[in-house]
Amino acid sequence: MARIAYIMLCHKDPRAIIRQAERLTAAGDYVSIHFDASAPEQDFDLIRKALTKNASVAFATRRVRCGWGEWSLVQATLNALEAAVSAWPRATHFYMLSGDCMAIKTGEYIHRYLDDNETDFIENFDYFESDWIKTGMKEERLIYRHFFNERARKTLFYASMEMQRRLGLSRKLPDGLQIRIGSQWWCLRRSTVEQVLDFVKSRRDIRRFFKTTWIPDETFFQTIVPHLIPAEEIRNRTLTFLMFTDYGMPVTFYNDHYDMLIGQDFLFARKISPEADDLKRRLSLLYSASGVDFRISDEGPELFSFLTGRGRIGRRFAPRFWETESTLGRERELMIVICKKWHVAKRVLDRMRQVTNVPSVEYLFNEEDTPLPDLGGIQTSLEKRTRHRRALMRMLFDFYETDRMIVCMDPGNIGLLQDFAADRSVTRMLEIDCAFSDEYLIGHAMRVGLAGPQTSQETLTRLLPTIRNDITYESDRIRDAEFDHLNRMRETADIGENSKALADFLSIPQARAWEIAGTDGLFAD
């Protein structure tokens, strides 16, 4: 009978990971966990403490900090695979999962399905001839070397690629490989996994190439497996059911999707909402059941389109979903950097991004030209962003596939701060207290239209105290609001004090926070 080693890549919700591992191992299978090194250390400690006595659970020997679209995701997978292959010689299949996945069939059905299908399941479409990539870069993902994360460091990402294009620094594809692409959620036989690991060790040029491609988790295994395994032993499909909205976002499944999910010709589904408690309860009971017959209808995409078109309360022609307020989600954590000196906040934000790899967005409610992904039009103006602020933030969380995000806001946005603080999500705030010279305040007055080149010195002298008092008033309002999880970082404080505030704000060790607080010129004008 099939014995499955599940390869779980996860970065959040430790209790859900523990429950998932206990459920899967109870059916006689194994779980190898890679928990993102960027996630809070106390979360990993909780997982390890709960599962360390479970002989069917292993942990990747080396944790890496993962970033969407980066080689780090492939490396994390390889680390977890190596741990699983070494720990469980009786494992017959290796199945990729995320922390958002859940089985939509019984364990009995899943084992029987793999026993009846002696094959590898992995999408592997021709990279250049297929239309798997609908929009955006295609050839550029491969022929240029990508050293920066497009989502985290957009300016450097595109500047680097443009420089390579101008200098003619494109590269050839690896000899003997036909590049293929597909979903990163696959199920491979043991013999295939062992061949892949041996191949990667023997062909260091392959590893070097994919380390600097963009989104290699969609091409690495998808290219190597067909290179090593005969086509008749590969099914060009995934066993994990996932869909995408018209906005390019992964579809999230809720309590009312149970009947649809179990009727799909798949073994697992992604992504299950953290708040779908009843769906998770029912799927957990289903997995341990026996003798269940499934009627495969496979109508998922059509049914989903119909349901979302009519709305959740029976309206056939519903307004755009952002027209109704929504919560960010109980499991999510929004971290807000508050600073009147925008250039200082952006400098701090850039260092946070480098140290923690947490997705971040600059002054999205203050600057019209803040770089944002296409979210179906909601991002096109400050007025839309502010009016539909919770929906906007929820879409950004979905876009970056994260439950932790950092944004910048001006101290004058007290209404926005209060609204986010009232959400069911965890809202953390870091107020950056800067010194304001007269020269800076004059420049500020000119930038916001309170003064101009022809404004007299006498007028400026009368204006400066008012501006200074207004800045103080905004800061006082934030403190008077008595927000939970409010930290302060001050220009006049020493590195130790500021690193402590940063560590609490970001939930990271103070040693890593010191890397941010100790940055030269952090408060420079």
Side-chain angles (χ1 to χ4, degrees):
M1 187 180 77
R3 297 288 297 273
I4 309 166
Y6 291 102
I7 309 301
M8 284 185 61
L9 299 190
C10 35
H11 64 279
K12 61 181 181 180
D13 201 354
R15 289 179 175 80
I17 295 168
I18 294 167
R19 289 193 295 269
Q20 177 83 308
E22 290 173 341
R23 181 166 52 248
L24 295 174
T25 56
D29 293 313
Y30 312 105
V31 175
S32 180
I33 297 174
H34 179 278
F35 194 71
D36 193 339
S38 299
E41 194 65 26
Q42 60 266 32
D43 286 356
F44 181 61
D45 290 340
L46 181 65
I47 296 169
R48 186 166 47 189
K49 183 177 180 180
L51 299 175
T52 190
K53 294 182 180 180
N54 189 332
S56 296
V57 174
F59 296 92
T61 54
R62 186 168 66 87
R63 294 167 59 208
V64 297
R65 293 166 58 190
C66 297
W68 187 93
E70 296 179 3
W71 167 258
S72 53
L73 290 174
V74 178
Q75 187 62 63
T77 305
L78 291 171
N79 293 351
L81 266 179
E82 290 171 350
V85 169
S86 174
W88 304 304
R90 297 178 60 192
T92 61
H93 294 77
F94 296 80
Y95 195 124
M96 271 286 294
L97 290 177
S98 76
D100 295 321
C101 297
M102 285 196 73
I104 54 175
K105 298 290 186 292
T106 62
E108 179 184 75
Y109 181 100
I110 292 172
H111 290 104
R112 186 170 63 245
Y113 186 93
L114 294 179
D115 284 335
D116 293 342
N117 292 273
E118 182 55 32
T119 185
D120 295 309
F121 294 89
I122 183 170
E123 285 188 348
N124 59 106
F125 300 96
D126 184 279
Y127 188 91
F128 297 100
E129 298 300 325
S130 72
D131 63 346
W132 203 86
I133 298 176
K134 302 295 185 184
T135 60
M137 296 184 298
K138 193 167 187 176
E139 184 182 42
E140 293 87 349
R141 286 195 193 185
L142 305 175
I143 64 173
Y144 298 118
R145 298 165 180 82
H146 300 283
F147 303 104
F148 304 101
N149 188 297
E150 191 267 349
R151 291 187 172 184
R153 310 185 75 179
K154 187 181 293 288
T155 301
L156 288 174
F157 179 91
Y158 287 105
S160 171
M161 189 167 65
E162 181 60 26
M163 181 183 70
Q164 293 178 69
R165 181 185 290 114
R166 290 184 179 182
L167 296 177
L169 297 179
S170 61
R171 59 180 175 176
K172 294 181 180 179
L173 304 183
D175 292 337
L177 280 190
Q178 179 187 8
I179 305 299
R180 306 184 76 82
I181 190 169
S183 167
Q184 63 269 52
W185 311 112
W186 39 254
C187 178
L188 303 176
R189 296 167 296 173
R190 183 183 192 89
S191 59
T192 300
V193 167
E194 290 175 341
Q195 289 184 66
V196 169
L197 293 177
D198 289 342
F199 181 77
V200 173
K201 291 175 182 176
S202 65
R203 288 286 303 271
R204 294 187 178 183
D205 60 313
I206 302 298
R207 182 187 289 262
R208 284 196 300 270
F209 174 80
F210 281 102
K211 283 183 76 170
T212 52
T213 61
W214 182 233
I215 319 182
D217 55 318
E218 293 179 351
T219 54
F220 182 77
F221 292 97
Q222 296 79 356
T223 296
I224 293 176
V225 171
H227 178 74
L228 299 173
I229 306 301
E232 60 269 20
E233 296 183 28
I234 301 175
R235 294 275 297 277
N236 189 357
R237 60 159 296 185
T238 176
L239 294 177
T240 298
F241 180 57
L242 66 162
M243 296 189 300
F244 292 87
T245 68
D246 292 340
Y247 302 101
M249 305 298 178
V251 170
T252 299
F253 299 112
Y254 296 92
N255 290 332
D256 54 350
H257 285 130
Y258 176 82
D259 291 325
M260 180 193 77
L261 290 176
I262 65 172
Q264 304 311 305
D265 186 21
F266 294 87
L267 306 183
F268 282 77
R270 181 179 187 274
K271 306 169 54 171
I272 306 299
S273 169
E275 299 176 356
D277 294 329
D278 189 57
L279 175 61
K280 289 187 287 186
R281 179 188 61 81
R282 296 176 73 183
L283 290 178
S284 296
L285 293 173
L286 176 70
Y287 185 75
S288 59
S290 60
V292 179
D293 291 324
F294 294 93
R295 299 181 61 182
I296 305 300
S297 57
D298 225 17
E299 83 296 356
E302 292 76 15
L303 182 57
F304 174 79
S305 297
F306 177 75
L307 287 174
T308 53
R310 68 193 293 266
R312 291 231 174 240
I313 57 173
R315 292 172 294 164
R316 180 65 187 89
F317 300 102
R320 291 176 183 261
F321 73 90
W322 63 64
E323 295 296 337
T324 55
E325 282 301 310
S326 61
T327 177
L328 304 189
R330 193 183 304 276
E331 303 297 326
R332 285 175 166 165
E333 188 172 355
L334 177 63
M335 294 173 282
I336 306 174
V337 176
I338 309 165
C339 186
K340 198 65 179 181
K341 288 188 176 181
W342 295 1
H343 61 282
V344 172
K346 292 177 182 180
R347 196 177 295 138
V348 173
L349 191 69
D350 186 56
R351 288 295 291 134
M352 288 179 178
R353 188 184 297 129
Q354 295 172 30
V355 171
T356 67
N357 208 28
V358 174
S360 57
V361 183
E362 295 176 357
Y363 284 86
L364 71 168
F365 296 110
N366 303 99
E367 290 186 302
E368 195 89 55
D369 59 351
T370 297
L372 290 170
D374 185 352
L375 301 175
I378 192 174
Q379 82 290 346
T380 53
S381 70
L382 289 176
E383 189 273 333
K384 277 188 178 181
R385 297 177 205 170
T386 302
R387 176 158 35 107
H388 309 301
R389 47 193 172 269
R390 293 198 188 186
L392 172 70
M393 292 307 307
R394 185 156 195 145
M395 293 179 76
L396 285 171
F397 275 111
D398 289 341
F399 178 80
Y400 289 113
E401 296 189 342
T402 183
D403 278 344
R404 302 184 80 219
M405 184 180 299
I406 313 171
V407 299
C408 290
M409 291 191 197
D410 189 272
N413 296 134
I414 186 67
L416 290 175
L417 296 174
Q418 290 172 325
D419 186 58
F420 285 123
D423 193 86
R424 283 187 290 174
S425 63
V426 176
T427 303
R428 298 183 181 277
M429 301 181 192
L430 176 70
E431 183 186 9
I432 302 179
D433 188 2
C434 301
F436 297 95
S437 65
D438 288 349
E439 291 76 12
Y440 177 85
L441 292 179
I442 290 172
H444 173 74
M446 291 184 175
R447 285 190 293 273
V448 299
L450 294 175
Q454 307 305 318
T455 303
S456 67
Q457 184 60 47
E458 181 182 356
T459 301
L460 289 174
T461 301
R462 291 199 305 269
L463 189 60
L464 288 181
T466 303
I467 298 175
R468 194 180 297 277
N469 289 338
D470 190 55
I471 293 174
T472 302
Y473 172 69
E474 289 178 346
S475 182
D476 286 342
R477 281 199 303 174
I478 291 172
R479 292 169 209 172
D480 291 342
E482 297 183 347
F483 293 121
D484 294 333
H485 312 299
L486 174 64
N487 291 277
R488 290 185 66 208
M489 181 176 172
R490 296 181 296 124
E491 183 173 357
T492 56
D494 58 31
I495 295 176
E497 185 178 339
N498 283 340
S499 64
K500 185 176 180 181
L502 283 164
D504 189 54
F505 173 67
L506 295 169
S507 301
I508 60 175
Q510 192 166 348
R512 290 177 63 191
W514 194 284
E515 298 177 35
I516 303 171
T519 304
D520 290 337
L522 202 61
F523 290 92
D525 290 333

